[in-house]
Amino acid sequence: MAEGGEALGTVPEHERILQEIESTDTACVGPTLRSVYDDQPNAHKKFMEKLDACIRNHDKEIEKMCNFHHQGFVDAITELLKVRADAEKLKVQVTDTNRRFQDAGKEVIVQTEDIIRCRIQQRNITTVVEKLQLCLPVLEMYSKLKEQVSMKRYYSALKTMEQLENVYFPRVSQYRFCQLMIDTLPKLREDIKEISMSDLKDFLESIRKHSDKIGETAMKQAQQQKSFSVILQKQNNARFGKNTHVDNDSILEEKNDIVLKHVLEEEAENEEEVLTVQDLVDFSPVYRCLHIYSALGDEETFENYYRKQRKKQARLVLQPQSSVHETVDGYRRYFTQIVGFFVVEDHILHVTQGLVTRAYTDELWNMALSKIIAVLRAHSSYCTDPDLVLELKNLIVIFADTLQGYGFQVNRLFDLLFEIRDQYNETLLKKWAGIFRDIFEEDNYSPIPIGSEEEYKVVISKFPFQDPDLEKQSFPKKFPMSQSVPLIYIQVKEFIYASLKFSESLHRSSTEIDDMLRKSTNLLLTRILSSCLLNLIRKPHIGLTELVQIIINTTHLEQACKYLEDFITNITNISQETAHTTRLYGLSTFKDARHAAEGEIYTKLNQKIDEFVQLADYDWTMAESDGRASGYLMDLINFLRSIFQVFTHLPTKANTNDYAAMSGKVAQTACMSACQHLSTSLMQMLLDSELKQISMGAVQQFNLDVIQCELFASSEPVPGFQGDTLQLAFIDLRQLLDLFMVWDWSTYLADYGQPASKYLRVNPHTALTLLEKMKDTSKKNNIFAQFRKNDRDRQKLIETVVKQLRGLVTGMSQHM
């Protein structure tokens, strides 16, 4: 039972194994069969049995199936046998066709292989083209970079480098040539930097050499513009005042139109020649260098270098040559270089951003301005030619106007011009001092002769002279002044014009210009003309007649001062009645000169008298007089008569009222002075300490000379003296000589000190001195006459009078 039960459990397992063997892959049969052997000992046998039974079943099924399909199989074999012949034919045909295809395909195979090879080449070419298309822009950009460097387009080259590094090189970084290119860029940048810096240095050297040309062009343009503006302003002013001054303004307007037309024509002709700073200087090196350093991120280094170098150049430009003051060309070169320097800086300021700033240029200008002012102050002091100083002023004005047009402050330059104006006035004064001296040297100091109406008009046109009496006189006639008067007047006007030239273009009001002109003219009158007149008056060769003529000349020059004031007023349009208007000091100037001339007349006349007196040759010990006046005295009196006659009647046809009054006054004063001086000289001759003795005969001879002097005084050598005014000049001598001639000592001593004394003018000391000289003479000449009673009495009288006179002299000294 047990075996039967076990057999029943094993059969399904064997069936399962057989199903697995049938259904699974042969690779998995091994494990399945192993499971058969792993079971009970009889399992193999039973499995074989079961396998046989299964095989038999399958055989039966195959047999059934074969039986079922046998007829179809037979039919198929029959059919196959039928088509066997056809199949052989077909095989032959296929073989033949295959052979023929093989033969025909050989060429196709060759061509196909060529095609394949071409396709491979084409693919490679395409790949190469793609790679080359990727590399070509890099190579083109690098070639462009080299070309830009060779053409000195360095900034563009730097931009190309940036594109290569940022855009193109990353695309071809895997190639070796790219790395070679990358390695060359830093050195190329440094080369560009050095080249641009070298170009900048060349540029700085170039503008240093061309600064004068740049400045000259800028100053010329500024001067043309200013001239054009001045002409327009004058034309507008003339038209504005047309209603009040029709004739003058019409002429002025026509003249200004002509000048304006001429200026416009010149500007039209020179329009093509007008150059700007860009035409004269190539600024591209600066731009390139600035852009290059900016592109390299080193802009600050470039700015510092540029400013440092320009400051050095500024110091060189501002340092003048030692001979700058000798010619105006020296100053012009100095100014044009400075203008050129700052014109370049102004251009750099406006066309670049940050290279120079307004603060930097202002600082540089202030430094330069201080140096310029110091140089001008130092070197202008050497200028002794007013024309050179005036040209220097004009250059400074053009210099200032030019730089002011570029935005620089120039007020200090105009302040300097006021200092130079004083120096200019000094040089003008020195120049006019020479002119005045030449005029005075060439003058003949005689009235101007006029022979015709034309000559009269010529003199009147030069000098404002008005005299109705002279106009009524027939030709020939004479002006009272000499030739120097109109020449001096003309030169004073020329001086005013010269002074006005400096005042122009100083941006000052008419009132200030008027004040400057009047002050400078006053300096000319009070310092120069007055000094020249005084020096002229004191010259030894100027005689008495010339001195009188000088007095007349100064009178007319004084009267002409009002016309000079009108002349200045017409120039400045500032009325003389305006408050604070300076007046000309001609009155005091010429009055002082007249006083000096009058004093010189008196001095020269007295000197001439002294010369005659020195010719006196008295025999002070003579016993008796000659009975006639001394020869020297008669010559002196004749000289005085001729001189005073000349004073009174010089000249006959020019003896106008003012001249007559002037000559008469001078003659009277000179005559009185001469008589007083002659009297004093004769008195001093008597009282000379070297004269030890005087005889009575000498006193009598001296008395005869004094009588001639009194006769001369009483003859009225100069009209206009009242009574015996002129004789009073000899009153001291007359009373003294009368005292000694009549020997009236008792009266003198008795009436001494009384107002009605006959010998009131006789000083006791004078009488004592002369009496002692006569006393000594009496002692020496009367050694043997002491036994004569009259001589003894006279000697005693002299001694008594001497004692009394000594007492009077002692009393006078005690009271003093």
Side-chain angles (χ1 to χ4, degrees):
M1 288 298 290
E3 293 178 357
E6 184 179 354
L8 290 174
T10 306
V11 173
E13 181 66 22
H14 289 167
E15 291 179 357
R16 182 186 64 78
I17 290 172
L18 289 174
Q19 290 178 356
E20 288 182 2
I21 291 172
E22 290 178 354
S23 60
T24 59
D25 193 5
T26 56
C28 297
V29 174
T32 306
L33 293 177
R34 192 179 297 114
S35 65
V36 174
Y37 290 100
D38 290 338
D39 290 336
Q40 292 82 5
N42 295 323
H44 176 268
K45 183 179 179 180
K46 293 178 179 180
F47 176 74
M48 292 303 293
E49 293 176 356
K50 188 65 178 174
L51 179 60
D52 291 336
C54 182
I55 292 170
R56 284 192 298 276
N57 289 332
H58 283 299
D59 288 340
K60 290 178 181 180
E61 289 178 0
I62 291 171
E63 185 179 356
K64 287 179 181 180
M65 186 175 292
C66 287
N67 291 327
F68 179 74
H69 292 288
H70 178 73
Q71 185 60 42
F73 178 75
V74 172
D75 293 338
I77 291 299
T78 301
E79 289 294 329
L80 286 175
L81 291 174
K82 291 180 179 180
V83 297
R84 181 175 181 178
D86 294 332
E88 291 179 353
K89 292 180 180 180
L90 179 63
K91 180 180 178 181
V92 172
Q93 291 178 352
V94 169
T95 302
D96 183 59
T97 301
N98 180 55
R99 181 184 54 79
R100 286 188 286 110
F101 273 131
Q102 290 294 331
D103 293 339
K106 289 179 180 180
E107 185 178 355
V108 174
I109 290 171
V110 173
Q111 292 179 353
T112 302
E113 290 176 353
D114 292 340
I115 290 173
I116 292 171
R117 188 169 54 254
C118 289
R119 291 291 185 183
I120 294 173
Q121 291 177 351
Q122 185 178 10
R123 184 179 68 245
N124 293 337
I125 290 172
T126 302
T127 303
V128 170
V129 169
E130 291 176 355
K131 299 301 181 180
L132 287 177
Q133 286 177 346
L134 186 64
C135 295
L136 277 177
V138 179
L139 297 174
E140 289 175 355
M141 289 296 291
Y142 192 79
S143 176
K144 180 180 178 182
L145 172 64
K146 292 293 186 180
E147 181 181 358
Q148 289 171 340
V149 172
S150 64
M151 296 176 63
K152 297 184 179 182
R153 297 170 55 191
Y154 301 120
Y155 181 72
S156 300
L158 291 175
K159 291 299 182 181
T160 303
M161 289 184 196
E162 290 183 4
Q163 291 182 344
L164 284 171
E165 291 176 332
N166 298 329
V167 178
Y168 292 94
F169 284 163
R171 299 175 183 174
V172 293
S173 59
Q174 68 273 21
Y175 300 110
R176 186 175 62 181
F177 77 89
C178 177
Q179 187 60 42
L180 295 176
M181 291 182 181
I182 293 174
D183 294 340
T184 61
L185 293 187
K187 184 178 183 304
L188 191 58
R189 279 194 175 93
E190 289 299 322
D191 293 342
I192 291 175
K193 193 174 182 180
E194 291 177 0
I195 293 173
S196 63
M197 182 58 68
S198 177
D199 291 343
L200 176 65
K201 292 178 181 179
D202 294 339
F203 166 79
L204 294 175
E205 180 65 21
S206 174
I207 60 173
R208 188 185 69 83
K209 294 179 179 179
H210 294 86
S211 290
D212 54 348
K213 182 64 176 178
I214 299 170
E216 181 181 356
T217 302
M219 291 175 68
K220 183 178 180 181
Q221 293 174 358
Q223 186 176 13
Q224 290 177 348
Q225 183 177 2
K226 183 177 181 180
S227 301
F228 183 74
S229 302
V230 169
I231 293 173
L232 285 180
Q233 184 177 3
K234 289 182 178 179
Q235 190 178 39
N236 293 333
N237 293 339
R239 290 174 178 172
F240 180 77
K242 188 173 181 180
N243 294 331
T244 56
H245 303 284
V246 177
D247 295 336
N248 293 335
D249 286 341
S250 61
I251 296 173
L252 181 61
E253 182 179 354
E254 182 179 356
K255 186 182 295 184
N256 286 336
D257 288 339
I258 295 173
V259 175
L260 178 61
K261 182 179 179 181
H262 180 66
V263 171
L264 291 174
E265 290 176 353
E266 286 186 351
E267 289 187 353
E269 293 176 357
N270 299 330
E271 185 175 1
E272 296 181 356
E273 301 178 0
V274 174
L275 301 176
T276 62
V277 64
Q278 295 92 336
D279 299 325
L280 297 174
V281 178
D282 180 17
F283 286 92
S284 57
V286 180
Y287 306 149
R288 286 198 302 267
C289 200
L290 176 61
H291 293 159
I292 288 169
Y293 273 77
S294 298
L296 295 174
D298 202 8
E299 184 177 1
E300 184 177 356
T301 300
F302 171 73
E303 292 176 0
N304 294 335
Y305 176 81
Y306 176 84
R307 294 181 184 182
K308 181 180 179 180
Q309 294 300 316
R310 289 298 280 166
K311 284 184 178 180
K312 289 182 179 180
Q313 289 187 345
R315 294 187 182 94
L316 292 176
V317 168
L318 294 172
Q319 187 64 35
Q321 297 180 354
S322 59
S323 60
V324 66
H325 64 278
E326 295 178 357
T327 61
V328 69
D329 290 335
Y331 284 111
R332 183 177 287 110
R333 284 193 299 270
Y334 181 63
F335 285 134
T336 53
Q337 289 178 352
I338 296 174
V339 170
F341 178 89
F342 283 100
V343 168
V344 170
E345 288 305 289
D346 181 77
H347 180 78
I348 295 295
L349 172 66
H350 287 88
V351 299
T352 61
Q353 294 181 352
L355 179 55
V356 295
T357 61
R358 175 56 67 182
Y360 163 78
T361 55
D362 289 342
E363 178 186 358
L364 200 61
W365 169 243
N366 290 330
M367 182 270 291
L369 191 58
S370 300
K371 179 65 175 178
I372 293 168
I373 291 174
V375 168
L376 291 177
R377 280 175 177 163
H379 287 271
S380 62
S381 60
Y382 296 107
C383 296
T384 57
D385 183 7
D387 294 333
L388 179 59
V389 178
L390 182 61
E391 291 184 6
L392 173 60
K393 167 259 175 182
N394 292 332
L395 280 176
I396 294 175
V397 171
I398 297 172
F399 172 76
D401 290 341
T402 302
L403 290 176
Q404 190 176 34
Y406 285 92
F408 295 99
Q409 295 295 327
V410 295
N411 294 333
R412 292 173 61 189
L413 283 175
F414 284 102
D415 294 337
L416 174 66
L417 284 175
F418 278 90
E419 299 178 18
I420 298 179
R421 181 199 65 188
D422 297 335
Q423 179 185 349
Y424 174 72
N425 287 336
E426 289 297 324
T427 57
L428 280 183
L429 293 175
K430 292 179 181 178
K431 179 180 179 180
W432 257 257
I435 293 174
F436 289 157
R437 284 194 296 268
D438 294 340
I439 291 175
F440 289 142
E441 287 292 335
E442 296 173 1
D443 194 8
N444 57 7
Y445 298 100
S446 60
I448 303 174
I450 302 298
S452 63
E453 183 69 25
E454 289 75 15
E455 295 179 1
Y456 182 85
K457 290 181 179 179
V458 169
V459 176
I460 293 299
S461 65
K462 295 179 180 178
F463 184 75
F465 179 81
Q466 296 178 357
D467 188 353
D469 295 336
L470 183 62
E471 292 178 1
K472 294 177 183 178
Q473 294 179 14
S474 60
F475 294 99
K477 53 187 176 182
K478 294 183 179 180
F479 283 99
M481 65 279 188
S482 66
Q483 188 64 44
S484 63
V485 172
L487 294 179
I488 292 294
Y489 181 78
I490 291 173
Q491 287 303 321
V492 172
K493 292 174 66 175
E494 290 296 327
F495 176 86
I496 295 173
Y497 274 127
S499 182
L500 177 64
K501 288 180 181 178
F502 196 94
S503 301
E504 293 175 343
S505 305
L506 293 185
H507 307 298
R508 298 293 173 176
S509 64
S510 298
T511 303
E512 291 176 304
I513 294 176
D514 181 84
D515 185 64
M516 288 188 288
L517 290 179
R518 292 179 184 273
K519 287 182 177 179
S520 59
T521 305
N522 277 332
L523 286 175
L524 178 70
L525 296 177
T526 57
R527 280 179 50 188
I528 304 305
L529 184 55
S530 176
S531 176
C532 290
L533 284 171
L534 293 177
N535 292 333
L536 173 67
I537 289 168
R538 296 189 181 101
K539 287 187 175 181
H541 70 275
I542 297 297
L544 298 173
T545 305
E546 288 82 356
L547 288 172
V548 173
Q549 185 62 57
I550 290 172
I551 293 174
I552 302 303
N553 291 348
T554 56
T555 302
H556 289 287
L557 288 173
E558 178 184 337
Q559 294 171 355
C561 284
K562 64 179 181 179
Y563 297 100
L564 291 176
E565 290 188 339
D566 295 338
F567 177 71
I568 296 175
T569 299
N570 292 332
I571 292 176
T572 61
N573 293 324
I574 300 298
S575 175
Q576 300 179 29
E577 285 73 22
T578 305
H580 308 298
T581 299
T582 305
R583 305 306 296 265
L584 297 184
Y585 301 148
L587 180 62
S588 60
T589 299
F590 297 115
K591 182 180 292 184
D592 294 341
R594 278 198 303 275
H595 290 166
E598 292 173 3
E600 193 67 20
I601 288 176
Y602 310 147
T603 301
K604 287 184 178 294
L605 191 57
N606 293 340
Q607 290 175 351
K608 198 67 177 178
I609 292 173
D610 292 339
E611 293 176 4
F612 278 99
V613 171
Q614 289 176 1
L615 298 176
D617 188 17
Y618 287 101
D619 182 6
W620 297 108
T621 61
M622 65 173 53
E624 294 181 359
S625 66
D626 294 339
R628 62 180 182 275
S630 301
Y632 86 91
L633 188 67
M634 297 306 298
D635 293 340
L636 173 57
I637 290 174
N638 292 332
F639 167 75
L640 292 177
R641 288 185 188 277
S642 62
I643 287 296
F644 295 137
Q645 186 177 8
V646 171
F647 281 5
T648 307
H649 299 90
L650 174 69
T652 303
K653 291 194 175 183
N655 194 14
T656 54
N657 293 334
D658 60 341
Y659 188 89
M662 181 59 60
S663 61
K665 177 182 177 182
V666 173
Q668 289 177 7
T669 307
C671 186
M672 176 60 72
S673 174
C675 290
Q676 290 176 346
H677 185 72
L678 178 57
S679 176
T680 302
S681 298
L682 292 175
M683 182 68 76
Q684 291 176 350
M685 190 184 300
L686 283 176
L687 303 178
D688 188 3
S689 59
E690 295 182 358
L691 180 59
K692 302 301 182 183
Q693 56 184 2
I694 300 176
S695 65
M696 193 62 193
V699 173
Q700 292 171 356
Q701 181 64 41
F702 202 83
N703 183 58
L704 291 176
D705 292 344
V706 174
I707 290 173
Q708 290 299 323
C709 294
E710 291 173 333
L711 290 175
F712 168 74
S714 62
S715 66
E716 197 176 7
V718 174
F721 286 107
Q722 297 179 357
D724 56 353
T725 303
L726 196 57
Q727 291 92 314
L728 292 177
F730 301 96
I731 189 63
D732 293 351
L733 272 175
R734 172 47 49 211
Q735 291 185 7
L736 179 62
L737 291 175
D738 285 348
L739 177 60
F740 278 86
M741 291 297 294
V742 299
W743 211 250
D744 192 9
W745 292 103
S746 58
T747 304
Y748 174 75
L749 295 172
D751 295 342
Y752 177 74
Q754 300 297 325
S757 174
K758 181 180 179 181
Y759 305 104
L760 181 64
R761 308 285 297 187
V762 178
N763 187 281
H765 185 274
T766 302
L768 176 61
T769 302
L770 184 56
L771 190 58
E772 286 180 338
K773 294 177 185 292
M774 294 184 70
K775 174 184 175 183
D776 294 339
T777 304
S778 298
K779 289 181 178 179
K780 293 179 180 179
N781 294 337
N782 296 296
I783 297 175
F784 300 102
Q786 57 181 339
F787 300 105
R788 284 181 271 179
K789 185 177 182 298
N790 293 335
D791 293 334
R792 290 197 305 270
D793 294 340
R794 183 180 180 86
Q795 188 66 28
K796 290 180 180 179
L797 178 60
I798 290 175
E799 292 176 353
T800 303
V801 173
V802 168
K803 291 180 180 179
Q804 292 178 350
L805 289 174
R806 286 175 178 170
L808 291 176
V809 172
T810 303
M812 290 175 60
S813 62
Q814 290 177 352
H815 286 298
M816 293 176 63

